[in-house]
Structure formats: C-alpha cells, structure tokens
Amino acid sequence: MQILLVEDDQPLAKGLQKALGQQGYVVNHVGTGEAALHVIEFDKPDIVILDIGLPDIDGITVLKKARKKDKELPVLMLTARDGVDDKVAGLDNGADDYLVKPFEMTELLARLRVLERRIAAVKTNEIVIGHVCMDTVAQLVSVDGKEIELARKEYMLLKSLMENAGRVQTRSTLETRLYSWGEEVSSNAVEVHIHRLRKKLGNDFIKTIRGVGYKIHAEGRA
Ligand code: CA
C-alpha cells in the first residue's frame, strides 16, 4: 500500500514515516501542496494523508484539485485541534476522513485500515477479514478458502457486520436491516442467525457486546 504523506511539520512527518514504514506501508513524504499535486498526477498513491496547514497552497485546495483529476482517490485529512471549520470544508470537498492533531498512531492505523478495506472492496468486490472472505457480487462466503453455505438472512447479517468491522452493530440496527430486506423477523431472529453464523465461522469471529449488539474486529480477532 503506497501512501503519500503531505505534511510540513518535519518531526511529525519523520515520526509518521517511520511508524507507517514499520507497518509495511511505503510512504512518500512531501512538505508542500505543489509537490503533493505533482506526485498525485505522476506517481499516484493508494492513499493520501493530507495536512490542511501547508506553507504554499492549503490542504483543502490541494484536495479540490486532486478530486478534479481523481474522484476515487482516498484522502485522510489532518487538521489542527481548533480547525473545526477546516474539517467541515475538508469533508465537503470530498475527504474520506479526518484526524485532529495530536492523534494516536493506533487511531491513524485504524483509519487507514478502513480506507484499505474500502479500496479492496471497490477493486475486487471482496471483503476479507481474518479467515473469512465475502464476495459481495457473487454473494459467496468462504472460510479458510473453502466456500460455505449461508442462508439468505445469515448472509445479510454477516455482510452488515463485515462492512462495519471495528464498529458495534446494535441488535436493533441488525433487526432493522432484516426488516428492510423484506424478511419476516421474529423477536429473537438476530440471536438465532448469529448463533448459526458462529457454527459456520467459528465462535470468535462475531463478538457479543453485552446489552448492545455485535461486532467483528477489523482484523478478525480480539
Ligand atoms: Ca502544517
């Protein structure tokens, strides 16, 4: 995964470059908006981490120009703590996400994984989490490379959980999903289907968040 890091704060950039490198990302670092636009045009990265406050043209302008050329390019904005207006402007101009400085490295890595999953899903129609792979076009699910049989409702619940991996899906959200897909839903339908899914996927894949709902960890394990 190739990342373009646009950040004029040298110590921060060096730290990020090192930490992301250790996670296996290839990081190309530039410190100006002009340099960023050049790289986006001639050596397109997979993901852009874009600081808003840059010495030449600001990050929002860079984002606007980049979006004109490539609507799909995933962009994660970095904003200063007091830059609430910047955040709104960034998202209005098509940023996929933003992080407020200072941020934890674990938070940045989590956001990057969300973007990566989105990229992978667009490219292949596949969501892969741990040992489970879902093809959302063919509507097939495989575990450790072996295709498994899922009932329609099981598939729909699993899809909802995998698409939102890392986030809790409440019981009522999942029930609403079943209703909206035109299914008859009994009062314990969600529990029943989750139980069946666990038999097929292993007990650890779907976590119960007691009193709230269910969750799949982004890496497929706790
Ligand atoms: Ca800056």
Side-chain angles (χ1 to χ4, degrees):
M1 197 56 58
Q2 201 169 326
I3 293 181
L4 171 63
L5 172 64
V6 190
E7 172 60 75
D8 60 316
D9 178 337
Q10 288 297 332
L12 175 61
K14 283 275 167 296
L16 287 177
Q17 197 163 18
K18 190 170 167 219
L20 291 170
Q22 283 166 351
Q23 297 291 324
Y25 292 104
V26 179
V27 183
N28 182 3
H29 168 236
V30 298
T32 65
E34 285 294 351
L37 286 170
H38 184 85
V39 173
I40 289 167
E41 184 159 14
F42 295 105
D43 184 17
K44 207 186 111 183
D46 298 304
I47 296 175
V48 182
I49 301 176
L50 177 60
D51 184 31
I52 289 186
L54 295 169
D56 53 347
I57 44 177
D58 68 89
I60 303 281
T61 308
V62 173
L63 176 64
K64 273 190 211 164
K65 289 190 173 177
R67 272 279 170 273
K68 267 187 196 158
K69 290 186 187 124
D70 184 350
K71 285 194 173 57
E72 305 296 331
L73 183 67
V75 178
L76 173 66
M77 305 291 289
L78 302 181
T79 92
R81 198 192 316 222
D82 52 0
V84 177
D85 293 345
D86 290 344
K87 281 184 244 170
V88 175
L91 292 174
D92 280 351
N93 282 294
D96 295 279
D97 203 353
Y98 66 83
L99 265 182
V100 180
K101 292 180 187 175
F103 50 81
E104 296 290 328
M105 196 59 206
T106 50
E107 185 59 30
L108 175 62
L109 292 174
R111 306 295 181 93
L112 288 175
R113 279 196 297 271
V114 170
L115 291 179
E116 279 181 81
R117 220 165 30 237
R118 200 176 301 164
I119 296 166
V122 168
K123 274 187 187 156
T124 66
N125 307 309
E126 274 183 2
I127 308 173
V128 182
I129 298 174
H131 63 306
V132 179
C133 174
M134 172 177 280
D135 181 329
T136 56
V137 171
Q139 302 206 347
L140 294 175
V141 175
S142 57
V143 175
D144 288 325
K146 279 194 200 114
E147 211 173 284
I148 58 165
E149 295 262 352
L150 290 184
R152 191 174 130 82
K153 288 179 204 174
E154 292 165 10
Y155 174 82
M156 292 188 298
L157 286 182
L158 182 62
K159 180 162 184 268
S160 181
L161 286 164
M162 287 181 75
E163 281 175 341
N164 292 285
R167 294 205 306 243
V168 178
Q169 294 285 282
T170 65
R171 196 166 161 272
S172 67
T173 301
L174 293 171
E175 265 173 15
T176 310
R177 288 268 178 144
L178 288 180
Y179 277 119
S180 68
W181 284 315
E183 296 289 323
E184 292 274 328
V185 182
S186 59
S187 62
N188 64 343
V190 171
E191 282 84 350
V192 169
H193 294 305
I194 295 284
H195 178 73
R196 288 185 187 147
L197 281 169
R198 281 183 173 146
K199 281 192 171 168
K200 295 173 183 179
L201 305 171
N203 275 329
D204 293 343
F205 192 64
I206 302 172
K207 308 282 172 199
T208 301
I209 309 297
R210 210 166 282 283
V212 184
Y214 300 94
K215 173 180 173 177
I216 291 175
H217 282 279
E219 298 83 13
R221 57 190 153 71

